[in-house]
Amino acid sequence: MIVEDEVLLAMHLEDLLTALGHEVVGQATRIDMAVELAREIDIDFAVLDINVAGTKSFSVADILGKRGIPFAFATGYGAEGMMDGYRDFPVLRKPYAQEDLERTIALMFRG
């Protein structure tokens, strides 16, 4: 699942995920859409932009966490933009390349 409000970035991320052999089964450009998807769809992992049209995606992360679905945050601010309680989750720093995404996905499944 991809949560990203910038359409071009979402398309780029989908292309990178597809190149790595993954299939994107859900995409949201708003938090309300993301919350609904996080509650309902069957996914293996998610990449969440932290700031989606001015709203933080931590509520989506909470839902995914309760469901046991791994996720990573994507941000242009790096770990500095993280709130307490979320600092231990993988962060994909924008702009990113395929290698960065691959490394981040591996981190999601570590443990």
Side-chain angles (χ1 to χ4, degrees), residues 17 20 22 45 70-72 90 98-111:
L17 287 166
L20 291 172
H22 302 285
F45 66 90
F71 61 88
Q98 185 169 329
E99 299 80 29
D100 303 320
L101 178 59
E102 193 168 23
R103 192 171 27 257
T104 302
I105 291 169
L107 285 172
M108 282 188 248
F109 289 96
R110 222 177 37 175

Side-chain angles (χ1 to χ4, degrees), residues 38 43-45 61-71 108-109:
I43 57 173
D44 295 326
F45 66 90
D62 291 342
I63 294 166
L64 295 172
K66 287 177 185 170
R67 292 185 62 200
I69 298 171
F71 61 88
M108 282 188 248
F109 289 96

Side-chain angles (χ1 to χ4, degrees), residues 9-60:
L9 284 177
M11 290 171 53
H12 176 64
L13 181 54
E14 182 171 6
D15 288 345
L16 293 177
L17 287 166
T18 300
L20 291 172
H22 302 285
E23 178 184 357
V24 176
V25 295
Q27 221 176 105
T29 57
R30 296 186 331 264
I31 292 298
D32 60 335
M33 294 168 53
V35 164
E36 186 175 325
L37 287 175
R39 286 183 179 145
E40 296 177 7
I41 66 172
D42 184 25
I43 57 173
D44 295 326
F45 66 90
V47 178
L48 313 174
D49 183 9
I50 289 179
N51 186 355
V52 180
T55 303
K56 303 293 185 190
S57 63
F58 299 124
S59 61
V60 179

